[in-house]
Amino acid sequence: MKLYPLRFNPVYSYRIWGGDKLKTVLNKNYQEESIGESWEVSDIKDNETKVAEGSLEGQTLKQLIKKFKGDFVGNSVYKSFGNNFPLLIKFIDAKTPLSIQVHPSNKLAKQRHNSFGKNEMWYVLQAQENAELIVGFSKKIEKESYQAHLKDSTLTEILNIEKVDKGDTFYIPTGRVHAIGAGVLLAEIQQTSNITYRIYDYDRVDAKTGEKRELHTELAMDAIDYNAYKDYRTVYSISDNVSIKLVHSPYFNTNIISISETMDMDYSKIDSFVIYMCVEGKLEVDYNNTSYNLQMGETLVIPAVINQLKLVGTKAKLLEIYL
């Protein structure tokens, strides 16, 4: 049995803040209301995605890694992570704001939850007029001052709020307080972790439970980076038919490719799987005399053993993700 470019069936998640853009804009197929997240590639327990088509249909990431090892994920990746897939790939639709939150570092997450930390990044696919994201603090803050603002529900006065538009990109390292604002549709790339500390949730009541969601104010206190930084937004300029660096970190590398003609892709120097997220238009991924169609909102995993393929399109944008 051979590996081929793999499409997975997404896992859809209800969220108090979810809208309907995953269905109306990204053509996702589900019936439920308030779906906020489409988990495209997931190895999270009880939320594992499965191969959608071909001879490996129904296989989870863990099953694929156990069967194909380094041929699937890359030898160095397999050596580092064993049978665990290192990334969680999502599309997120925020009809109303997400909670203000923070993720713990690898060290803290390991100590408290026996989990990876959650370094992540966002790429904005669509944003309504005046849509915003919260990323970090607007000035360096002392822990006592932070606690006072939290108590007074004036946290937003000390947070860095960014107006956003299509194509905007942000890296969110662990410890950085953040929140997606209303009217933002984005792609999220992150470490495989489901650990989030909610700091403030606007005193909302979840219609499904009739209760407010749990906050993790004490756990968050030691996880937060209270420093302020000059630039939170990733600066890049795009060129057609070239892989342009967006975010390169110790946890993942993400580039953007704007495709206007056929591109020959060579991954022989990368000892890793590659994930394609189509964020605009549509294209074909050609491998071994087979074409895999990919349109905005769809994701494809290229096993590490596949070194040569073609991207065929005239007007498409693709996130290219690997370790």
Side-chain angles (χ1 to χ4, degrees):
M1 198 172 286
K2 286 189 174 179
L3 284 161
Y4 52 91
L6 299 166
R7 200 187 304 270
F8 287 79
N9 287 317
V11 172
Y12 301 116
S13 298
Y14 162 83
R15 294 290 184 265
I16 189 173
W17 40 261
D20 61 4
K21 285 184 184 173
L22 295 174
K23 185 188 289 185
T24 60
V25 178
L26 300 187
N27 296 305
K28 300 294 181 186
N29 185 20
Y30 57 84
Q31 304 305 318
E32 301 87 346
E33 297 294 315
S34 301
I35 296 297
E37 300 190 3
S38 175
W39 292 22
E40 299 286 297
V41 182
S42 168
D43 189 33
I44 297 285
K45 192 174 187 305
D46 300 325
N47 288 280
E48 296 97 338
T49 49
K50 295 179 179 178
V51 176
E53 59 200 6
S55 59
L56 296 169
E57 184 178 348
Q59 298 281 296
T60 65
L61 289 159
K62 249 188 196 50
Q63 288 170 328
L64 292 168
I65 296 169
K66 284 177 181 175
K67 188 176 291 182
F68 296 105
K69 301 181 170 58
D71 281 353
F72 177 39
V73 292
N75 292 322
S76 61
V77 176
Y78 185 70
K79 194 174 177 181
S80 297
F81 295 94
N83 292 326
N84 299 311
F85 194 77
L87 298 182
L88 174 56
I89 305 295
K90 302 176 181 176
F91 288 110
I92 295 178
D93 169 31
K95 185 178 182 180
T96 57
L98 273 70
S99 63
I100 298 170
Q101 57 190 240
V102 71
H103 303 307
S105 66
N106 279 338
K107 186 179 177 183
L108 211 50
K110 181 74 176 168
Q111 279 174 2
R112 291 176 173 176
H113 314 284
N114 195 28
S115 168
F116 291 124
K118 197 173 174 185
N119 290 273
E120 64 187 29
M121 66 160 281
W122 296 332
Y123 175 89
V124 177
L125 277 76
Q126 190 186 78
Q128 69 186 28
E129 195 175 353
N130 295 318
E132 298 173 337
L133 299 174
I134 291 170
V135 187
F137 291 102
S138 56
K139 59 183 179 183
K140 183 174 167 54
I141 202 87
E142 298 302 322
K143 192 184 279 193
E144 294 72 27
S145 177
Y146 161 82
Q147 287 174 297
H149 280 284
L150 189 60
K151 190 177 178 183
D152 297 344
S153 297
T154 56
L155 198 55
T156 52
E157 290 178 9
I158 57 171
L159 295 172
N160 175 58
I161 299 172
E162 304 259 2
K163 291 261 195 270
V164 292
D165 210 343
K166 178 180 168 182
D168 285 347
T169 302
F170 295 85
Y171 180 51
I172 317 289
T174 58
R176 186 163 294 172
V177 173
H178 61 279
I180 302 169
V184 178
L185 177 68
L186 57 74
E188 182 175 87
I189 294 107
Q190 60 167 85
Q191 289 175 277
T192 293
S193 169
N194 206 20
I195 309 297
T196 295
Y197 295 158
R198 259 185 233 113
I199 296 166
Y200 181 63
D201 199 29
Y202 307 97
D203 295 319
R204 290 183 287 200
V205 173
D206 189 331
K208 273 200 171 182
T209 63
E211 296 176 2
K212 292 179 183 179
R213 296 194 297 172
E214 183 185 1
L215 298 178
H216 312 96
T217 44
E218 290 303 316
L219 285 171
M221 213 76 74
D222 295 332
I224 291 171
D225 177 359
Y226 294 97
N227 293 302
Y229 296 88
K230 189 179 174 187
D231 295 311
Y232 290 100
R233 194 184 302 253
T234 298
V235 177
Y236 68 98
S237 56
I238 205 154
S239 301
D240 279 358
N241 311 308
V242 182
S243 188
I244 302 290
K245 174 183 171 183
L246 282 186
V247 171
H248 285 198
S249 78
Y251 312 100
F252 53 79
N253 301 303
T254 301
N255 304 319
I256 187 160
I257 307 172
S258 178
I259 301 154
S260 64
E261 60 186 43
T262 298
M263 291 179 66
D264 291 308
M265 307 303 289
D266 181 355
Y267 292 114
S268 56
K269 292 179 180 173
I270 297 175
D271 186 16
S272 168
F273 59 88
V274 177
I275 297 174
Y276 290 148
M277 296 182 85
C278 186
V279 292
E280 189 177 314
K282 59 184 178 180
L283 71 150
E284 290 176 3
V285 177
D286 288 356
Y287 168 70
N288 198 23
N289 299 318
T290 304
S291 288
Y292 299 84
N293 295 318
L294 209 56
Q295 64 180 18
M296 181 177 174
E298 291 185 331
T299 303
L300 199 65
V301 178
I302 312 300
V305 75
I306 297 175
N307 289 327
Q308 312 284 335
L309 50 80
K310 288 182 190 293
L311 302 180
V312 182
T314 55
K315 197 179 179 184
K317 283 195 178 76
L318 202 61
L319 297 184
E320 176 191 46
I321 305 144
Y322 55 89
L323 260 58

